Amino acid sequence: MQSFDVIIIGGGPGGTTAARILAQGGKKVALIEDKHWGGTCLNCGCIPTKMLLGAVAPGSLLRAQERLRVVKGNVKVDFTALQGRVSRFTKGTSQTLAKALAGSGVTLFEGLGTCLERKEGQPRVQVVCAENRTDMTAPDVILACGTASAAFPGLAPDHQCVLDSTDLLQSAAIPESLIIVGAGAIGLEMADFFSAMGSKVTVVEAASHVAPTEDPDIAKEMLRALTKNGITCHEGTRAKDLRTVDGKAQLSLEDGTVITAAKALVAVGRSPNTEGLGVENLGGTKTPRGYAQVDENLQCASGLYAVGDINGLTLLAHAAEHQAAYVARRILGQADGPYESGPVPSCVYGGTEIMRVGHTATALLQQGKSVEVSQAPLSMNPIAQASGGTAGFVKVVWHEGRMKGIAAVGAGVSHLVTVAQMLLKEGYSGHRLHEIMFAHPTLDEIVPMAINAPRKAVTAG
Ligand code: FAD
C-alpha cells in the first residue's frame, strides 16, 4: 500500500492544476490518468477544436474583405496536413505536461482509478493498468474525472456514420454532408469548421433557438450568420432517431421529416465519468444525473473533493482549473471560506462568435426580476470596420442599476471576454468607467460604449 498526502483521479485541467499547486505547496501527490494527460480539453476538446477553427479563420477574414471588394482569390486548407498538425501538437503537449508534472514532484500513474472503501477512516484508491494493480491511501482524494459525450435512446453514436465529437475530430476526410444534433458551443463550432471546409451542414436544435443558453437576440444574430454561410438550421425541432442506414447517417425528426447525410454528430451534452468510480465507497453521493454531489466547499464527503466537469457545476476547462486551485489551496490550509466562482466567462468560437459573462436577460426575467439592457453595435467600432466584420453587437444586462451580465455576438468577440469580466466583476459603470483608459482603436472599446449606451427596460416574452 503506497501512502500519499493527496490522490487525484483524472489528469485533465482540473486534476493537473490541483496536482501542480499541491506539489508546489510541499504535498506528496499521486495523479492517476487512464487515457491522455491533459484530459478532454487538450486531447479532444478545447484545443483541437480551436486549432481547426484557427486554420479556417483567415479564410473568414479574407471573405469579409472580398465582400468589400478589396481581396480576390482563394485560400485552401489542407485538411490532412491540418489533422497531422493537431495530432502532433496535442500528443507533444500531453507528453510535455506529464514531464513537467513529474518534474515538479507529482507521482504519475497511468491506469484506471477506483475509490475503495476506507480503512481505519483513511480513503483508499486502486489503480489498474493491464495486469497491474496498485493500492494507495491518502487523507485527501480529489475526483477530477471529467465527462464524456452524452447519448440518449435513439440518439447514440454508433461510431460508423453517427459520431461523437471525439470521432468527428479524428475524421480522416471532410464529409460531403454533415448533420449536427445540438446547437450548443460544441455543435456550433463544429458546424462552423466543417461548413468552412465545404461540408453541407444541417443543424437540428430542440430548444427554441440555436445557442440555447443565450438570449434570443444573440441567438438570432448567430442564426443569421450560420444561414449566410449556407448552414441549414432547424430550431425548435426534436430529433427522434439517428442511425447508420446503407452507409449514411439517417435522422428522423419528430415531425416525420427524414434527413440523410454522409455523417452525423451527436452534440447533445455531456455525461459524468462516475460509472464504476466508487464515489459511494468513500461516502460520496451522486446527483440524479450521475454527477458527484458537492457542497459549498466542493467536498463530497470528509477527505473527498470533486472538481471540474465531474461535479456538473460548470462544464468548462477554466472552471475546472479555478475549482481545482480552490480545493488545492483549501487542502494546503490557504482557503477556508466556501468556493466562489465569480462571474463565469463562456465563449462560442468561430467566424461568428458569442461571449458572455454573468446573467442573460432571459434568466433574470425568469426569476421575476426587472431588467434593462444597453447595447452597442459592432458597426460603431473601428477595428470591426477595418476587418469587415461589423455584424453583431455587445449587450449589457442591468438589474436595479447594477450590471448583471455582458454578452456579445459577432466576429472576434471572444477576445472581449476578459475585459467584460473585469468590468462586470468590479462594477465599472457610470463615473467609475472613466477611471479606465481604453486603447484606441481596439475591439475592447465597444464594451464601455455598450455600458454607457441608453438603457431600455425589457419584459418577458
Ligand atoms: P477532463 O478534461 O475531462 O479530464 C478528466 C480526465 O480524467 C480524462 O483525461 C479522463 O481520461 C480521466 N479519467 C476519467 N475517469 C478516470 C478514472 N477512473 N481513472 C483515471 N482517469 C480517469 N471548455 C472550455 O472552457 N472552452 C472550450 O473552448 C471548450 N471546447 C470544448 C470542445 C469540445 C469538443 C469538448 C468535448 C469540450 C470542450 N470544452 C471546452 C469543455 C472542456 O474540455 C471541459 O470542461 C474540461 O476538459 C473539463 O476538465 P476536467 O479536468 O474536469 O475533465
Side-chain angles (χ1 to χ4, degrees):
M1 176 82 68
Q2 298 195 33
S3 281
F4 292 92
D5 294 324
V6 187
I7 300 167
I8 303 167
I9 310 181
T16 55
T17 300
R20 184 175 42 77
I21 297 172
L22 286 161
Q24 275 166 2
K27 295 283 181 191
K28 190 179 172 202
V29 181
L31 178 61
I32 306 164
E33 168 59 47
D34 74 332
K35 254 193 233 138
H36 36 212
W37 299 105
T40 306
C41 171
L42 172 61
N43 297 283
C44 51
C46 324
I47 303 305
T49 48
K50 272 66 212 179
M51 289 186 84
L52 296 185
L53 288 169
V56 293
S60 171
L61 288 169
L62 288 171
R63 274 193 302 280
Q65 296 293 327
E66 195 177 31
R67 284 194 290 276
L68 297 169
R69 297 169 201 244
V70 292
V71 162
K72 277 187 196 161
N74 271 319
V75 181
K76 202 167 171 293
V77 175
D78 179 339
F79 185 60
T80 310
L82 175 58
Q83 286 293 59
R85 175 169 187 256
V86 174
S87 169
R88 283 192 305 278
F89 179 86
T90 52
K91 284 194 181 107
T93 309
S94 181
Q95 284 165 6
T96 308
L97 175 68
K99 270 193 199 142
L101 285 163
S104 65
V106 177
T107 307
L108 304 182
F109 290 88
E110 293 190 345
L112 191 72
T114 315
C115 303
L116 303 177
E117 287 193 355
R118 289 169 195 261
K119 202 165 184 187
E120 290 155 17
Q122 182 102 323
R124 289 185 308 141
V125 168
Q126 184 171 75
V127 188
V128 177
C129 180
E131 300 300 300
N132 300 322
R133 281 166 197 273
T134 311
D135 285 2
M136 55 184 79
T137 181
D140 289 301
V141 172
I142 303 175
L143 306 175
C145 307
T147 51
S149 295
F152 297 103
L155 274 183
D158 59 18
H159 311 289
Q160 296 174 48
C161 293
V162 179
L163 310 178
D164 63 21
S165 58
T166 304
D167 300 327
L168 189 60
L169 283 171
Q170 286 165 356
S171 299
I174 295 293
E176 153 273 319
S177 51
L178 176 67
I179 296 167
I180 297 180
V181 181
I186 295 174
L188 289 175
E189 290 178 9
M190 294 291 197
D192 192 75
F193 174 76
F194 282 94
S195 160
M197 292 296 293
S199 267
K200 174 88 196 85
V201 177
T202 304
V203 174
V204 176
E205 171 55 53
S208 58
H209 56 72
V210 298
T213 53
E214 306 304 325
D215 275 335
D217 51 349
I218 297 269
K220 196 171 165 190
E221 186 59 40
M222 176 54 97
L223 177 69
R224 206 190 58 77
L226 294 169
T227 311
K228 198 168 142 204
N229 287 338
I231 298 170
T232 307
C233 295
H234 299 267
E235 297 182 314
T237 305
R238 275 194 178 276
K240 197 171 132 201
D241 185 71
L242 178 58
R243 62 183 67 206
T244 300
V245 178
D246 298 333
K248 288 205 151 221
Q250 181 177 294
L251 172 68
S252 306
L253 302 177
E254 246 179 20
D255 65 5
T257 312
V258 175
I259 305 170
T260 56
K263 300 281 180 204
L265 166 69
V266 180
V268 292
R270 308 277 301 167
S271 59
N273 291 328
T274 48
E275 188 82 35
L277 183 60
V279 179
E280 299 83 355
N281 289 337
L282 292 180
T285 53
K286 291 190 212 166
T287 67
R289 295 183 61 200
Y291 290 98
Q293 179 81 55
V294 288
D295 65 11
E296 70 278 10
N297 303 319
L298 305 181
Q299 206 158 356
C300 312
S302 166
L304 182 67
Y305 296 86
V307 299
D309 278 18
I310 194 170
N311 66 28
L313 297 179
T314 308
L315 274 55
L316 289 167
H318 42 275
E321 291 180 354
H322 196 258
Q323 293 173 11
Y326 162 81
V327 165
R329 288 192 301 109
R330 196 177 165 82
I331 292 171
L332 290 169
Q334 297 167 359
D336 45 16
Y339 174 68
E340 302 269 0
S341 72
V344 180
S346 65
C347 298
V348 177
Y349 298 84
T352 295
E353 301 189 324
I354 295 175
M355 79 84 194
R356 177 162 60 84
V357 190
H359 299 279
T360 60
T362 308
L364 293 181
L365 289 168
Q366 278 165 357
Q367 291 166 22
K369 294 189 170 149
S370 61
V371 176
E372 290 182 313
V373 298
S374 57
Q375 271 183 221
L378 284 184
S379 58
M380 303 277 283
N381 180 274
I383 291 296
Q385 286 161 353
S387 65
T390 51
F393 55 89
V394 175
K395 172 178 180 178
V396 184
V397 176
W398 304 81
H399 170 60
E400 294 179 345
R402 284 172 179 263
M403 276 194 287
K404 290 291 171 187
I406 304 179
V409 58
V413 299
S414 65
H415 295 292
L416 300 176
V417 77
T418 305
V419 75
Q421 184 180 24
M422 300 290 185
L423 295 176
L424 180 76
K425 185 155 191 304
E426 300 304 321
Y428 277 104
S429 63
H431 66 277
R432 285 206 68 205
L433 193 53
H434 301 297
E435 292 170 16
I436 301 173
M437 188 191 294
F438 288 84
H440 175 77
T442 55
L443 197 61
D444 294 345
E445 290 172 288
I446 196 72
V447 183
M449 190 179 271
I451 293 174
N452 279 332
R455 298 178 209 167
K456 281 189 202 140
V458 289
T459 49

